[in-house]
Amino acid sequence: MTVRSGSFYFCVCAWLLFTSAPFLSAEASHTGSIKVMGTGKGNALASIALDACAGEVVTVTSVDPNFGSDGAFRYTGVPLQAILKRAGVSGMKGITLVGRDQYTVYLPAGLAANPDVIIASERDGNPLSQYLGGPLKLLFPPDLKMHQSAYCWYVETLIPDYVDNPGVTVTVGGRTTRYALSDLDALRPEHKTLYLSIPLGYRWDLPKLKQPCRVTAIPLGALFDGEDVTGKKLTLTPFSGRPMTLPVAPILSCEVMLVYRINDQPIHPALGGPFSVYFPVMSCGELEGIAPETASLFFLHEISVD
């Protein structure tokens, strides 16, 4: 389980609110919608509108420990289990919730099935503001006594842990190709031992990732080998969070890697999977100023070159 201290968390969240306002304010409705991954073959995404769950709305009186001094409030929302049921999710061992800031919370199925564990959209009848973790936030009843780091803010995506055939799509020159794990294996992947970043988050009962770890990866350039990408840009789009666009040239010369297995196993969603991108910032100065501060992009969904 990964946790964070209250003062540190407050500073991080305050920083995110001021630096990430454009993407935190993208949800127009305070009820909003949530993407659910794995509702079909592979990593298909379904969008579940909370308005469609109006008949299952509940109100829970609780204290968000991130604002413990404010006391208890009446939070209104939809049970997490109701959203998963509407999306057709069943038979999972656990669920990963991802915020728009890519903060990650993993809960076992039993806890997710608690009818008072909700995706809240209102506090005392008012829409949840960004400052309070809105427009959608994971909330627990007080009797569970959950650590403050389990309260996922800006909830955007839910991922059950049974995604059986994940794939990443690559678009070059108007042509789109989907690569499943077996397709990536056919591209002669490399096996490396790395200190690999994972998303900040709370992971209920997952074993802690031991570092360095063994990863299976391929250079991103292998996905558009033979294409003329001179002077073009590459966009990496995660299924939760903001896309990033950068020149193709340093991607090729620095051998930025698509990582799809950790210790010979598919990457668990709570660790940033099924796919992540590793930037070797310590060994390649060309990536300075363009690579993420974490040296990784998590939850990769699509790659496009234009």
Side-chain angles (χ1 to χ4, degrees):
M1 180 177 70
T2 303
V3 298
R4 56 200 168 190
S5 68
S7 59
F8 172 75
Y9 180 41
F10 178 81
C11 292
V12 169
C13 291
W15 177 82
L16 284 168
L17 286 171
F18 284 102
T19 61
S20 306
F23 75 89
L24 293 180
S25 61
E27 199 77 65
S29 167
H30 75 268
T31 52
S33 61
I34 291 181
K35 293 178 288 186
V36 184
M37 183 177 171
T39 57
K41 185 73 172 175
N43 52 337
L45 288 168
S47 181
I48 304 299
L50 266 66
D51 285 340
C53 304
E56 298 169 283
V57 170
V58 298
T59 298
V60 176
T61 299
S62 188
V63 177
D64 181 342
N66 294 289
F67 303 96
S69 61
D70 291 351
F73 292 89
R74 290 171 57 82
Y75 289 92
T76 301
V78 177
L80 177 58
Q81 65 169 355
I83 297 172
L84 294 171
K85 182 178 179 181
R86 184 169 289 271
V89 173
S90 62
M92 65 180 190
K93 294 181 180 179
I95 187 76
T96 298
L97 298 91
V98 186
R100 199 169 290 154
D101 57 355
Q102 294 201 333
Y103 188 82
T104 302
V105 169
Y106 175 77
L107 302 176
L111 183 55
N114 186 315
D116 290 330
V117 174
I118 68 172
I119 300 297
S121 59
E122 295 182 357
R123 190 179 85 165
D124 281 359
N126 298 310
L128 278 173
S129 68
Q130 296 172 23
Y131 171 73
L132 296 174
L136 301 175
K137 153 170 101 170
L138 176 66
L139 191 91
F140 300 93
D143 61 292
L144 292 182
K145 298 180 180 179
M146 297 296 289
H147 191 275
Q148 66 190 55
S149 61
Y151 287 69
C152 187
W153 294 11
Y154 327 123
V155 176
E156 185 175 82
T157 307
L158 309 179
I159 316 168
D161 56 8
Y162 63 68
V163 178
D164 60 352
N165 187 33
V168 59
T169 60
V170 180
T171 301
V172 184
R175 297 184 301 276
T176 299
T177 304
R178 181 183 187 273
Y179 289 89
L181 298 183
S182 58
D183 300 317
L184 297 174
D185 285 338
L187 295 176
R188 297 184 179 180
E190 300 178 20
H191 300 282
K192 295 176 174 286
T193 300
L194 302 172
Y195 285 90
L196 192 68
S197 297
I198 60 174
L200 186 67
Y202 173 99
R203 300 167 182 89
W204 173 269
D205 58 355
L206 289 183
K208 185 176 180 179
L209 181 64
K210 295 181 179 180
Q211 301 276 14
C213 56
R214 172 184 165 89
V215 304
T216 305
I218 62 167
L220 276 183
L223 299 175
F224 38 90
D225 188 36
E227 299 282 349
D228 182 8
V229 295
T230 305
K232 295 187 177 181
K233 292 188 176 182
L234 176 142
T235 299
L236 303 170
T237 303
F239 51 79
S240 195
R242 292 181 295 181
M244 65 178 300
T245 300
L246 60 167
V248 170
I251 296 295
L252 298 178
S253 60
C254 296
E255 288 205 347
V256 173
M257 307 293 289
L258 170 65
V259 181
Y260 62 99
R261 286 195 178 95
I262 297 178
N263 297 329
D264 300 320
Q265 298 297 318
I267 305 176
H268 194 286
L271 301 179
F275 304 97
S276 64
V277 179
Y278 172 76
F279 296 82
V281 292
M282 299 299 291
S283 60
C284 189
E286 293 179 66
L287 294 173
E288 185 176 352
I290 62 172
E293 291 185 8
T294 59
S296 293
L297 180 137
F298 311 115
F299 313 117
L300 180 66
H301 185 50
E302 298 175 345
I303 301 171
S304 61
V305 178
D306 52 34

